[in-house]
């Protein structure tokens, strides 16, 4: 009993202290209410609560962001066709190239209202066609076998009589050009149904839709990207995305999982078909459709499967060449001495063998080409060449292992084997890319994305002059390093076996290439 008395006394003192604090709080609250009544009584009678803030103007709803990419490349080995080392997707690849601004993008976007979204992207690192092209071909004498052949300059072996007939361009680069300019018109408050009007990416292929700001490999795979120059065109696209899927597509990009963005779980569109920022050359349009479905497992892993296709007619661009044999091989440019090709000059323009062109029938090479600068004429409008593809896509997002594969098959414009006509030819190809996401939480050095990619393609490059055949079999091994969210550095080693589709005679080359890119986001 004696030992319990101090504890009881302490409890009583604590109760008294709590009552005192409670009384003080009640007094403070009563004083605050009295002061509030006094302030309210001093206000004019017609004054009520402060009005709500005015609604934002449409231009106050817009945001500005962008990114820049600077590259450097070094050809480690190029074999006998060293001066053919060119790629249509990256103008910085070449024997005389060093530093290069690949992209300089500024993006203005935002919801103008609840039913209208604006997206405007400009690129300030664009160049006119062939601005960085060079030509170093030499006259074609007869070899020991009595055959006329093409050669490119070889600094090791001297060939007497081989005179340069090429030229080098000094055209400047880095012009501003529209990449995207479209409006999303929403039909419902949840923004599940919309029509996209303007110049936008064509919903075909995951990698085409994935922003270059997020992509691991420096260039898109040729097999998919040859469908759509700059991945964009002018048209109308209907898109449907359920509300929960819209959030998922957004988070796959926001959480640095290399997502493609929201281009509709289902999309259907009609567009020119000639490519972004290019004049339409026939009255036909292209049709495209895509369905994609992402699925989230209980552990948070996300997989996605897609099927897509398009169809239309494409008008290829032509340029004077000297017809020869061996396109897409190491011996391209071969001209048999006793063949019709020997009498055809270098001013021959391949004709487009599609509906609307006059039929040439069986003609004699010696009567055309450079001899009298004859060329075919459009008979009834020039509809172009059939251009149709279908593709499948499978994606496992990097959490931490990632895997992505795409493959497409189809028919498209392609220069024939004699380099005299552009016809509809079969094509196929795709790629497989494996990656791993490692975030250094121990030392805080950043995020790493090592990856390996294999791509294959055999078909026409319809956007290059004369739509030459190209063969691509390439391996890329690289790593993307993000020390900060606003800074990325990528290094890639590429083992290339591909066709120089930039210039005739479209020779195959084998090369080892090291490329590096620094990207800053803002």
């Amino acid at each position: 009993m004696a030992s319990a008395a101090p504890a009881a006394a302490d409890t009583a003192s604590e109760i008294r202290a709590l009552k005192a604090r409670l009384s003080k709080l009640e007094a403070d609250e009563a004083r605050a209410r009295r002061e509030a009544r006094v302030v309210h009584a001093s206000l004019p009678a017609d004054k009520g609560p402060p009005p709500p803030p005015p609604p934002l103007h449409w231009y106050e709803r817009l945001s500005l962001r962008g990114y820049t990419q600077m590259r450097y490349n070094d050809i480690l080995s190029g074999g006998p066709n060293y001066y053919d080392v060119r790629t249509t997707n990256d103008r910085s690849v070449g024997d005389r190239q060093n530093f290069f601004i690949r992209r300089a993008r500024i993006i203005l976007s935002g919801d103008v209202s609840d039913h209208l979204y604006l997206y405007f992207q400009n690129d300030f690192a664009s160049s006119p066609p062939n601005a960085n092209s060079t030509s170093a071909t030499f006259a074609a004498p007869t070899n020991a076998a009595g055959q006329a052949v093409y050669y490119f300059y070889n600094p090791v072996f001297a060939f007497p009589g081989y005179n340069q007939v090429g030229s080098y361009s000094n055209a400047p680069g880095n012009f501003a050009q529209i990449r995207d300019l479209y409006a999303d018109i929403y039909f419902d408050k949840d923004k599940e149904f919309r029509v996209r009007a303007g110049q936008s990416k064509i919903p075909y292929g995951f990698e085409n839709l994935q922003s270059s700001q997020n992509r691991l490999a420096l260039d898109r795979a040729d097999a998919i990207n040859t469908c759509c120059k700059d991945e964009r065109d002018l048209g109308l696209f209907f898109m449907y995305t359920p509300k929960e899927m819209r959030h998922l597509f957004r988070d796959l990009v926001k959480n640095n999982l290399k997502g493609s963005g929201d281009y509709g779980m289902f999309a259907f569109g009609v567009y020119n078909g000639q490519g972004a920022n290019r004049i339409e050359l026939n009255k036909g349009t292209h049709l495209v459709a895509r369905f994609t479905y992402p699925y989230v497992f209980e552990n948070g892993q996300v997989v996605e499967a897609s099927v897509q296709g398009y169809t239309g007619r494409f008008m290829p661009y032509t340029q004077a060449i000297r017809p020869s044999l061996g396109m897409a091989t190491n011996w391209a440019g071969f001209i048999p001495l006793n063949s019709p090709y020997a009498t055809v000059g270098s001013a021959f323009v391949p004709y487009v063998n599609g509906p609307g062109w006059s039929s040439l029938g069986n003609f004699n090479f010696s009567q055309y080409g450079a001899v009298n600068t004859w060329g075919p004429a459009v008979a009834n409008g020039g509809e172009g060449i059939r251009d149709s593809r279908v593709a499948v896509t499978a994606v496992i997002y990097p959490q931490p292992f990632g895997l992505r594969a795409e493959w497409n098959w189809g028919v498209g414009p392609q220069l024939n084997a004699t380099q005299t006509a552009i016809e509809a030819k079969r094509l196929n190809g795709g790629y497989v890319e494996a990656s791993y996401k490692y975030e250094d939480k121990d030392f805080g050095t950043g995020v790493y994305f090592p990856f390996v990619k294999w791509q294959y393609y055999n078909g026409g490059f319809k956007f290059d002059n004369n739509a030459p055949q190209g063969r691509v079999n390439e391996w890329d091994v690289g790593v993307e390093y993000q020390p900060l969210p606003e800074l990325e550095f990528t290094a890639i080693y590429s083992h290339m076996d591909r066709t120089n589709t930039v210039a005739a005679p479209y020779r195959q080359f084998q090369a080892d290439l090291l490329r590096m890119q620094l990207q800053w986001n803002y």
Side-chain angles (χ1 to χ4, degrees), residues 69-73 85-94 100-103 105 206-226 229-231 404 406 430-433 451-456 461 472 474-478 480 490-494 496 498 509 513-517 519:
Q69 296 174 342
M70 185 176 74
R71 291 187 183 178
Y72 178 84
N73 84 79
V85 180
R86 300 286 189 276
T87 67
T88 188
N89 288 334
D90 187 353
R91 297 186 305 276
S92 69
V93 175
F100 182 76
I101 297 294
R102 180 64 180 90
R103 293 177 177 90
R105 304 285 177 88
F206 181 96
E207 194 175 58
N208 281 354
L209 298 177
Q210 186 184 39
S211 172
S212 300
Q213 188 177 16
N214 301 325
R215 191 178 62 251
L216 289 175
L218 295 188
D219 298 319
R220 294 178 171 91
D222 295 272
I224 307 296
N225 196 236
T226 47
K229 184 67 174 177
D230 297 320
E231 306 85 50
R404 187 172 76 241
E406 295 192 89
Y431 70 92
V432 179
E433 179 183 277
F451 67 94
V452 58
K453 181 177 183 179
W454 171 75
Q455 63 164 312
Y456 169 86
F461 281 69
V472 179
E474 179 174 315
W475 283 92
D476 296 325
V477 179
E480 178 185 288
T490 304
I492 295 183
Y493 163 77
S494 300
M496 296 179 168
R498 60 165 58 234
F509 67 86
L513 185 66
L514 176 64
R515 288 188 289 172
M516 291 172 282
Q517 174 177 285
Q519 172 178 305

Side-chain angles (χ1 to χ4, degrees), residues 21-208:
R21 289 178 60 188
L22 181 59
S23 298
K24 185 178 182 303
L25 290 173
E26 290 175 346
D28 291 342
E29 184 180 359
R31 184 171 58 255
R33 285 198 298 267
R34 288 195 300 270
E35 292 174 353
R37 283 196 297 269
V38 170
V39 172
H40 181 74
S42 65
L43 293 174
D46 57 346
K47 284 286 187 178
L56 294 175
H57 295 90
W58 68 269
Y59 50 82
E60 295 176 301
R61 296 169 176 257
L62 302 179
S63 64
L64 191 66
R65 61 183 178 88
Y67 66 98
T68 299
Q69 296 174 342
M70 185 176 74
R71 291 187 183 178
Y72 178 84
N73 84 79
D74 186 15
I75 302 176
L76 304 178
S77 66
N81 299 333
Y82 179 83
Y83 287 92
D84 273 305
V85 180
R86 300 286 189 276
T87 67
T88 188
N89 288 334
D90 187 353
R91 297 186 305 276
S92 69
V93 175
D95 57 289
R96 297 174 179 87
Q97 305 293 325
N98 292 306
F99 290 106
F100 182 76
I101 297 294
R102 180 64 180 90
R103 293 177 177 90
R105 304 285 177 88
I106 297 292
I107 303 165
L108 181 69
S109 63
D111 288 300
V112 176
S113 70
D114 292 337
H115 294 277
L116 182 63
Y117 173 81
L118 171 69
Y119 191 93
F120 180 27
Q121 179 178 206
N122 236 1
D123 189 359
F124 292 87
S126 299
S127 298
N130 301 321
N132 297 334
S133 64
T134 59
S135 173
T137 59
F138 284 66
T142 303
N143 62 14
Q147 299 170 323
V149 293
Y150 264 22
Y151 285 100
F152 277 66
Y153 173 67
N154 190 319
V156 179
F157 301 100
F159 293 95
Y162 286 27
N163 299 316
Q164 179 179 338
V165 296
S167 62
Y168 300 90
S169 171
N170 67 348
N174 297 334
F175 288 91
Q177 188 180 72
I178 293 174
R179 275 296 174 262
D180 297 277
L181 179 56
Y182 64 80
D184 279 348
I185 304 170
Y186 296 100
F187 298 128
D188 60 314
K189 63 178 181 180
D190 290 330
K191 300 182 179 181
E192 294 185 340
F193 298 89
R194 69 188 188 271
V195 166
R196 177 167 294 179
Q199 181 166 294
S200 170
K201 286 186 176 180
I202 300 166
Y204 182 86
F206 181 96
E207 194 175 58
N208 281 354

Side-chain angles (χ1 to χ4, degrees), residues 264-275:
M265 194 174 79
F266 170 75
F268 172 80
V270 54
Y271 60 98
N272 279 341
Q274 208 63 34

Side-chain angles (χ1 to χ4, degrees), residues 361-424:
N362 296 322
F363 60 91
N364 189 332
F365 281 105
S366 63
Q367 297 177 11
Y368 306 103
V371 176
N372 58 7
T373 64
W374 174 91
V378 176
N380 57 7
E383 298 175 20
I385 304 295
R386 180 187 171 192
D387 181 28
S388 303
R389 298 191 187 192
V390 62
V392 293
T393 304
V395 181
I396 302 176
Y397 287 91
Q399 299 185 97
F401 290 99
L403 185 66
R404 187 172 76 241
E406 295 192 89
W407 207 270
N408 72 169
W409 304 262
V411 174
Q414 181 181 305
L415 190 63
N416 65 4
T418 58
Q419 299 186 2
T420 57
I422 302 172
E423 304 170 343

Side-chain angles (χ1 to χ4, degrees), residues 232-290:
R232 297 163 171 87
D233 211 324
L234 186 62
L236 292 169
F237 305 91
F238 169 81
M239 299 178 184
Y240 164 69
T241 311
K243 185 177 180 180
E244 62 275 10
M245 291 297 183
R246 293 185 68 244
H247 296 301
L248 177 60
F249 285 132
R250 178 199 62 194
D251 292 342
L252 289 172
V253 176
K254 185 178 179 180
N255 295 334
N256 199 16
L257 295 179
K258 305 300 182 182
S260 65
D262 181 10
Y263 290 87
M265 194 174 79
F266 170 75
F268 172 80
V270 54
Y271 60 98
N272 279 341
Q274 208 63 34
N277 302 313
R278 285 167 174 79
I279 297 174
E280 175 69 350
L281 296 180
N282 59 20
K283 289 191 175 183
T285 55
H286 277 54
L287 301 177
V288 63
R290 180 176 186 257

